[in-house]
Amino acid sequence: MSEEEEEEEYEFGPVLSIEFTLRSGETVSVRDSLDERADEMAVRRYAQVLIGQMGTDTVHSFAYWWGGDFYVDAVAMQEVAAISVSPAGPDDDEEADWDDWGGQGPQP
């Protein structure tokens, strides 16, 4: 299988899965969406903004539907010790369970 065929097999939509590990050891998992497909470069740009804000007074809020429930999460970047950002694949969420409600993730 060529790289091009493999890349086509793993097409992702605009939804991201983000995990923040706080200095306390607690993990906060949230969802956010991009204005574009969550390809490698888009995910890297998004993550780089978050990484640049680690240890600052910035607070990010995320509001979204997931699994039929509505969530609003906020993360104080000064408390973040580690970040993981990845595209949310088709197995992560059912399309009907996800509605973007204007999550206010990082803006470059």
Side-chain angles (χ1 to χ4, degrees):
M1 181 178 290
S2 73
E3 280 187 41
E4 186 175 305
E5 289 173 333
E6 190 173 315
E7 185 174 320
E8 287 180 23
E9 185 177 333
Y10 297 104
E11 290 282 326
F12 292 103
V15 180
L16 297 177
S17 174
I18 306 139
E19 289 193 8
F20 298 93
T21 302
L22 306 181
R23 293 177 184 187
S24 66
E26 180 182 1
T27 300
V28 178
S29 299
V30 300
R31 296 289 193 263
D32 203 1
S33 66
L34 300 172
D35 292 332
E36 60 187 308
R37 189 172 65 87
D39 63 15
E40 180 181 351
M41 292 309 297
V43 173
R44 284 179 183 267
R45 283 191 304 271
Y46 186 98
Q48 196 59 43
V49 171
L50 290 175
I51 291 165
Q53 294 173 343
M54 288 175 67
T56 69
D57 290 336
T58 303
V59 175
H60 285 289
S61 64
F62 303 87
Y64 54 94
W65 284 95
W66 185 34
D69 295 318
F70 184 71
Y71 294 87
V72 177
D73 297 308
V75 177
M77 297 304 288
Q78 66 188 15
E79 297 298 321
V80 174
I83 299 169
S84 175
V85 179
S86 63
D91 295 335
D92 293 342
D93 293 314
E94 292 296 322
E95 187 68 31
D97 290 341
W98 169 261
D99 284 321
D100 177 26
W101 276 70
Q104 297 177 15
Q107 302 299 315

